[in-house]
C-alpha cells in the first residue's frame, strides 16, 4: 500500500496526502554549469583560482584574489535537444532559451596593512540550476497498466470511502489517497465483489501501448553577498551568504491504449472484457525561497601552485506546493468517464545537501593555467519537514534508501596567446547520485501528489571551450558549452512489495513502462565587464 502521511495544508482537512517526496527533494537540489563565459569555458574548475564573478557562488575565497573592483554581466543562448527512446521508438524535442545567468559587482579596498593588504566585498546574481526540459515518447507493448499500479496501493479503502457524490467529497472528507479517489471515480480501478480490494484494467491477454509527455520549467537563482581578503598575499579567504529563489513547474501527461482489458461495463457496477483508453494529466508547481552559507580558503605557497577548499552549508528552503490532476477513461462501447482532483496547496521545508570542494591549480610562466576541482555532494543527507517544522520521517527514510553521495570532477585550462588574447577549454563530469538498485528498478518508489512518474539522471558531462580578450580593464569572453545528460523516465514504480517491507519488490513484480532520455544541449555564453 502506498505510504502516506499527514501533511501541513493551508485548508483544514482530515485527508492524508503526500505533499512532498524524496523525488521532489532530489529534483530541487540539482545543480548546473552556469556562470561567466570564462568560468564555464574552463568547466567550472575555478575553486583554486578565483578572481571571477562566478566564484562568489563556488569558492568565496575567490573574492580575496581580486586586487581591483569589477562589474560584469553574462548572456547565455541555450539550444536544447532532448531525445527519448523506448523499445526502439524514439522522439525528439528542441527548444531555445535566452537567459542572463550571471551579473555582479566586486568592490576592492586597499588597507594600510602588510598582514591583510586588501579587503574585498561583492554582490552577484547567479542562475545555479535550470529545470527547462521537454521530452515525450511512446512505450509500445507495455506489460502492465497504471491502473494496476493504483489498484495495488488502493487495497483497503472501502468503495464508499472513494466515491465522489454531491453530498460527499472524498478529497477532503476521507483519509484515502487522492490518486486512488481519482482512479476510482473514472473507473480506472474497480472493486472486486463487495470487498475493499481492486482490479486494474490489465489482465492476462491484455495488450497495449503507452505515450508520455513531460514539460519542466523553472530555475534556481541565487543572490550572493561575499566578503574576503588575503593574508600577506599567501592565504586568501572568503565567506558568503546566498539567498535563493526557487520556481519549479512540471506537467506530465501519460496515456494507455489497451485491448482485451478488464473494464467496467456501462452500468459501472460490474466488469467485462473490452478496449479502453485511459489518460492522466498532472500539474505540479513548487516555489519558495532559501538561504545558505559558504566559506573557503585558497593557499598559494608558491606562485606556481594554488590549493583551494570550500564548504557550502545546505540551503534551507520554505516551499509552497500546489498540484492537481485530470483523468480520462474511454470505453470501447463509446462511453467515456473522467474526473479531476481538487487543487491541493501545501507548505514544506527542505534542507538540500551540503557540499565540499577541494581544488588545485598551477600557473605556468604567467601564461598557462591548469586547474582541477573535486566536489562531494551529500544527497543522502537531505531532509524534509512539514510546514510547521516537524520531520516527515517516511520521506527522509526514502531519501536514505534512494540516494547516495555524488562525486563531481572538473578540469580546466587556459593559455594566453598574447597579453590580450586567451584560449580556454574544460571538462565537467557529474556521476549519478541514485543508488544502483533504485536506478535498476529493484526498489519501490514513492512519489508525491497524484503524479506517479519520476525521472532519474544517470550521469551528466560538459565539454567546454572558449576565448577571451582584455584591454585597459575592459574584457569580453565567449564560451561554447556542450551538455550531455542521460536519464530514465518511469511512468510509475514497479509494484508488488514483499510482505512486511517498504521497498523490496517481489520476484514477480511487473516491469513498469519506462524510456531512456538523452539531452544534448549546446550553449553560447558571452560575458562583458570592466575592472577598475
Amino acid at each position: 500500500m502506498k505510504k502516506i502521511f499527514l501533511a501541513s495544508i493551508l485548508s483544514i482537512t482530515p485527508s492524508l496526502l503526500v505533499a512532498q517526496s524524496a523525488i521532489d527533494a532530489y529534483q530541487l537540489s540539482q545543480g548546473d554549469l552556469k556562470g561567466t563565459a570564462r568560468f564555464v569555458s574552463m568547466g567550472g574548475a575555478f575553486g583554486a583560482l578565483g578572481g571571477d564573478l562566478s566564484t562568489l557562488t563556488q569558492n568565496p575565497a575567490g573574492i580575496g584574489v581580486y586586487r581591483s573592483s569589477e562589474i560584469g554581466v553574462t548572456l547565455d543562448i541555450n539550444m536544447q535537444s532532448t531525445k527519448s527512446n523506448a523499445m526502439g521508438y524514439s522522439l525528439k524535442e528542441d527548444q531555445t532559451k535566452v537567459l542572463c545567468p550571471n551579473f555582479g559587482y566586486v568592490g576592492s579596498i586597499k588597507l594600510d596593512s602588510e598582514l591583510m593588504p586588501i579587503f574585498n566585498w561583492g554582490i552577484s546574481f547567479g542562475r545555479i540550476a535550470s529545470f527547462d526540459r521537454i521530452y515525450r515518447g511512446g512505450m509500445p507493448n507495455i506489460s502492465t497498466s497504471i491502473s494496476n499500479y493504483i489498484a495495488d496501493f488502493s487495497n483497503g479503502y472501502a468503495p464508499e470511502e472513494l466515491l465522489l457524490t454531491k453530498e460527499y467529497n472524498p478529497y477532503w472528507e476521507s483519509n484515502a489517497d487522492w490518486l486512488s479517489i481519482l482512479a476510482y471515480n473514472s473507473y480506472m480501478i474497480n472493486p472486486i465483489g463487495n470487498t475493499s480490494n481492486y482490479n486494474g484494467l490489465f489482465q492476462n491477454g491484455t495488450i497495449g501501448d503507452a505515450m508520455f509527455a513531460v514539460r519542466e520549467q523553472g530555475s534556481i537563482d541565487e543572490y550572493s553577498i561575499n566578503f574576503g581578503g588575503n593574508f600577506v598575499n599567501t592565504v586568501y579567504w572568503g565567506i558568503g551568504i546566498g539567498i535563493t529563489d526557487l520556481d519549479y513547474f512540471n506537467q506530465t501527461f501519460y496515456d494507455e491504449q489497451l485491448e482485451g482489458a478488464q473494464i467496467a461495463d456501462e452500468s459501472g457496477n460490474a466488469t467485462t472484457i473490452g478496449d479502453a483508453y485511459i489518460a492522466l494529466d498532472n500539474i505540479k508547481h513548487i516555489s519558495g525561497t532559501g538561504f545558505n552559507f559558504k566559506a573557503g580558503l585558497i593557499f598559494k605557497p608558491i606562485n606556481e601552485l594554488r590549493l583551494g577548499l570550500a564548504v557550502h552549508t545546505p540551503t534551507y528552503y520554505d516551499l509552497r506546493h500546489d498540484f492537481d490532476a485530470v483523468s480520462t477513461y474511454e470505453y470501447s462501447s463509446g462511453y467515456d468517464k473522467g474526473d479531476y482532483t481538487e487543487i491541493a496547496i501545501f507548505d514544506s521545508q527542505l534542507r538540500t545537501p551540503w557540499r565540499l570542494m577541494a581544488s588545485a591549480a598551477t600557473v605556468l610562466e604567467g601564461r598557462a593555467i591548469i586547474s582541477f576541482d573535486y566536489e562531494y555532494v551529500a544527497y543522502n543527507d537531505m531532509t524534509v519537514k512539514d510546514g510547521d517544522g516537524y520531520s516527515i520521517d517516511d520521506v527522509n527514510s526514502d531519501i536514505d534508501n534512494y540516494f547516495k553521495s555524488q562525486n563531481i570532477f572538473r578540469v580546466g585550462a587556459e593559455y594566453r596567446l598574447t597579453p590580450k588574447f586567451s584560449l580556454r577549454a574544460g571538462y565537467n563530469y557529474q556521476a549519478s547520485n541514485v543508488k544502483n538498485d533504485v536506478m535498476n528498478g529493484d526498489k519501490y518508489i514513492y512519489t508525491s501528489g497524484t503524479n506517479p512518474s519520476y525521472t532519474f539522471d544517470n550521469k551528466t558531462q560538459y565539454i567546454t571551450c572558449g576565448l577571451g580578450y582584455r584591454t585597459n580593464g575592459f574584457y569580453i569572453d565567449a564560451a561554447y558549452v556542450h551538455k550531455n545528460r542521460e536519464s530514465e523516465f518511469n511512468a510509475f514504480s514497479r509494484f508488488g512489495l514483499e510482505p512486511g517491507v517498504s521497498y523490496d519488490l517481489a520476484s514477480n513484480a511487473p516491469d513498469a513502462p519506462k524510456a531512456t532520455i538523452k539531452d544534448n544541449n549546446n550553449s553560447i555564453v558571452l560575458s562583458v565587464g570592466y575592472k577598475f
Side-chain angles (χ1 to χ4, degrees):
M1 188 175 180
K2 191 176 180 181
K3 289 194 304 184
I4 48 182
F5 58 86
L6 184 61
S8 176
I9 189 166
L10 297 184
S11 336
I12 299 175
T13 173
S15 294
L16 286 170
L17 295 169
V18 180
Q20 170 73 290
S21 72
I23 306 302
D24 292 330
Y26 160 81
Q27 179 66 55
L28 302 178
S29 299
Q30 303 283 7
D32 210 345
L33 180 59
K34 298 290 184 183
T36 67
R38 187 185 182 208
F39 178 83
V40 300
S41 68
M42 295 177 64
F46 257 78
L49 293 174
D52 186 274
L53 291 174
S54 290
T55 62
L56 273 64
T57 59
Q58 188 192 53
N59 183 354
I63 196 173
V65 176
Y66 276 92
R67 295 181 177 274
S68 62
S69 300
E70 177 182 348
I71 188 169
V73 64
T74 297
L75 179 70
D76 185 341
I77 304 171
N78 184 234
M79 296 156 283
Q80 303 176 10
S81 177
T82 304
K83 185 177 182 180
S84 69
N85 187 288
M87 301 292 291
Y89 186 85
S90 63
L91 282 173
K92 185 179 177 183
E93 288 286 346
D94 297 321
Q95 63 175 341
T96 299
K97 298 282 187 177
V98 180
L99 55 93
C100 176
N102 180 271
F103 62 83
Y105 168 80
V106 170
S108 183
I109 303 173
K110 294 183 178 180
L111 305 177
D112 188 18
S113 171
E114 294 184 0
L115 177 63
M116 192 170 76
I118 294 177
F119 176 79
N120 300 325
W121 65 277
I123 183 169
S124 72
F125 162 86
R127 175 148 295 178
I128 59 176
S130 174
F131 299 121
D132 291 341
R133 180 162 61 162
I134 298 175
Y135 52 98
R136 63 189 180 98
M139 295 176 284
N141 303 316
I142 58 177
S143 58
T144 190
S145 165
I146 190 173
S147 63
N148 294 65
Y149 161 79
I150 300 171
D152 180 72
F153 68 72
S154 299
N155 291 328
Y157 297 133
E160 57 270 20
E161 190 178 2
L162 302 176
L163 182 61
L164 177 66
T165 67
K166 291 183 179 179
E167 296 77 22
Y168 174 70
N169 186 338
Y171 290 111
W172 301 117
E173 299 179 56
S174 79
N175 289 328
D177 187 276
W178 278 27
L179 189 52
S180 300
I181 299 170
L182 184 66
Y184 182 81
N185 286 280
S186 53
Y187 293 177
M188 288 187 188
I189 62 174
N190 300 287
I192 303 173
N194 294 319
T195 70
S196 296
N197 295 321
Y198 299 88
N199 276 327
L201 303 178
F202 207 94
Q203 62 164 12
N204 290 332
T206 302
I207 60 174
D209 299 328
M211 292 280 292
F212 72 94
V214 178
R215 178 165 61 102
E216 294 179 292
Q217 292 178 316
S219 61
I220 301 176
D221 296 328
E222 183 173 88
Y223 303 86
S224 295
I225 303 172
N226 289 58
F227 304 93
N230 76 79
F231 296 110
V232 294
N233 295 318
T234 302
V235 178
Y236 303 82
W237 63 273
I239 57 174
I241 301 171
I243 301 171
T244 56
D245 182 23
L246 181 150
D247 189 80
Y248 175 72
F249 175 87
N250 178 294
Q251 182 172 13
T252 300
F253 177 82
Y254 174 79
D255 69 3
E256 296 174 353
Q257 189 77 49
L258 304 175
E259 298 179 11
Q262 185 171 342
I263 66 173
D265 64 12
E266 293 180 15
S267 70
N269 297 319
T271 60
T272 185
I273 302 302
D275 300 339
Y277 169 82
I278 60 175
L280 181 65
D281 192 1
N282 269 281
I283 290 179
K284 174 168 58 178
H285 181 219
I286 304 174
S287 60
T289 58
F291 66 93
N292 59 58
F293 298 95
K294 307 177 184 71
L297 294 171
I298 295 176
F299 177 51
K300 186 175 71 173
I302 57 176
N303 195 53
E304 293 77 17
L305 178 64
R306 298 181 183 185
L307 304 174
L309 185 67
V311 61
H312 295 194
T313 71
T315 300
Y316 298 88
Y317 280 109
D318 287 319
L319 300 174
R320 169 188 162 123
H321 308 245
D322 58 86
F323 67 83
D324 64 298
V326 176
S327 65
T328 302
Y329 179 18
E330 298 178 0
Y331 301 78
S332 55
S333 58
Y335 287 86
D336 61 80
K337 180 73 173 176
D339 195 22
Y340 57 89
T341 69
E342 304 282 348
I343 297 177
I345 302 174
F346 301 91
D347 292 332
S348 77
Q349 298 177 17
L350 169 65
R351 188 189 75 181
T352 69
W354 59 271
R355 299 168 180 263
L356 179 67
M357 304 178 191
S359 313
T362 181
V363 180
L364 305 174
E365 298 180 354
R367 297 189 64 180
I369 297 173
I370 301 176
S371 180
F372 302 91
D373 279 11
Y374 166 73
E375 182 175 348
Y376 174 90
V377 189
Y379 272 94
N380 53 344
D381 196 49
M382 297 183 294
T383 59
V384 172
K385 298 180 180 180
D386 66 17
D388 294 323
Y390 294 101
S391 175
I392 305 175
D393 293 336
D394 282 349
V395 174
N396 293 326
S397 176
D398 293 345
I399 290 171
D400 188 57
N401 277 277
Y402 298 161
F403 304 115
K404 60 184 178 181
S405 58
Q406 183 183 44
N407 298 303
I408 300 175
F409 302 91
R410 297 184 284 261
V411 59
E414 179 181 75
Y415 183 75
R416 186 172 296 174
L417 294 173
T418 71
K420 294 183 178 181
F421 287 97
S422 298
L423 295 178
R424 305 173 184 124
Y427 177 73
N428 183 309
Y429 177 86
Q430 301 180 9
S432 175
N433 49 10
V434 181
K435 290 185 176 180
N436 292 336
D437 54 357
V438 175
M439 184 67 76
N440 294 335
D442 297 331
K443 296 289 185 182
Y444 191 95
I445 305 300
Y446 299 95
T447 60
S448 63
T450 53
N451 186 358
S453 71
Y454 56 93
T455 301
F456 286 140
D457 294 337
N458 192 350
K459 63 179 179 180
T460 304
Q461 300 179 84
Y462 299 86
I463 300 173
T464 66
C465 62
L467 51 88
Y469 174 79
R470 279 156 169 69
T471 181
N472 299 323
F474 172 81
Y475 67 84
I476 180 169
D477 297 315
Y480 166 76
V481 180
H482 174 76
K483 176 183 179 181
N484 175 267
R485 175 171 57 177
E486 297 180 6
S487 310
E488 187 173 86
F489 169 81
N490 297 264
F492 48 89
S493 174
R494 294 181 68 202
F495 57 94
L497 289 170
E498 289 283 4
V501 300
S502 298
Y503 301 99
D504 295 337
L505 296 165
S507 58
N508 62 345
D511 290 329
K514 61 183 179 180
T516 299
I517 310 297
K518 290 188 177 181
D519 298 331
N520 284 287
N521 299 339
N522 298 291
S523 295
I524 303 297
V525 185
L526 300 172
S527 296
V528 294
Y530 182 68
K531 294 188 176 185
F532 53 96

